[in-house]
Amino acid sequence: TEVRKVLADFLKEDSEPALQKAAAWGLFSAATDDPQTYRALISTAKDSAAALPVREEALISLFAAMSHPDARDAVADLTQNTWPKSLRQIAILLLQAANQDNAIRKTLHDLANNDPDIDVRLAAIEALRPRLSEERIRYFHLSAYSGVFRDPLE
């Protein structure tokens, strides 16, 4: 749609970080079924030239895309120790949406047992839980109502 295109342009452009963060959140629900949208969010999250808060928001906004294997793989890559800690923690928490996948569970177990950073280990332990906590429901732009997304454009 036209709104999706405008938001994607804000995300890519050299605009104010607050606008880029808002654009990332605005693309949240579109990432559910549009590979181009979730790939743009992944690209932003991995872009070291982007402001860290923008990268974090782009990653948070990928929750709805975690049913796509290529999105899961990209997020799993962001759990590696080569990425900023805040991105690693968000990526790990995102993997909770796919923790029924054996490879994802193994990654989370490995992080929970072996990562040298206690905060990363705690995030992995949380991501192994079968259900999102109320705090994470709000954090990932989900409403408290069974699977209904808060649409930032409403």
Side-chain angles (χ1 to χ4, degrees):
T1 68
E2 187 62 31
V3 172
R4 193 178 293 182
K5 183 185 177 325
V6 169
L7 290 174
D9 288 345
F10 268 122
L11 190 62
K12 287 186 282 190
E13 288 176 3
D14 214 12
S15 57
E16 192 67 33
L19 288 175
Q20 289 178 305
K21 283 179 63 175
W25 183 16
L27 291 170
F28 169 80
S29 58
T32 305
D33 59 0
D34 182 15
Q36 186 175 359
T37 298
Y38 68 73
R39 287 184 186 118
L41 290 168
I42 291 166
S43 177
T44 300
K46 290 184 171 188
D47 182 2
S48 61
L52 188 57
V54 173
R55 296 169 72 189
E56 292 167 347
E57 187 62 42
L59 195 52
I60 289 167
S61 296
L62 280 168
F63 188 89
M66 293 305 293
S67 62
H68 300 281
D70 55 332
R72 279 197 309 266
D73 291 345
V75 169
D77 176 60
L78 285 161
T79 68
Q80 302 303 310
N81 204 16
T82 56
W83 296 99
K85 180 178 174 176
S86 63
L87 292 180
R88 290 184 72 210
Q89 288 178 280
I90 295 166
I92 290 164
L93 293 170
L94 267 173
L95 291 179
Q96 184 173 6
N99 71 10
Q100 299 305 311
D101 178 282
N102 288 332
I104 297 296
R105 283 194 79 73
K106 181 182 180 327
T107 297
L108 292 172
H109 276 287
D110 288 347
L111 289 165
N113 291 321
N114 303 316
D115 200 90
D117 188 306
I118 186 67
D119 295 324
V120 169
R121 289 197 317 261
L122 290 172
I125 290 166
E126 182 176 346
L128 285 164
R129 295 173 57 180
R131 297 180 58 126
L132 288 172
S133 66
E134 288 296 318
E135 178 185 359
R136 293 297 166 226
I137 287 171
R138 288 186 301 277
Y139 184 74
F140 286 119
H141 309 309
L142 305 168
S143 72
Y145 305 103
S146 60
V148 177
F149 301 132
R150 268 190 314 163
D151 190 338
L153 300 178
E154 290 181 354

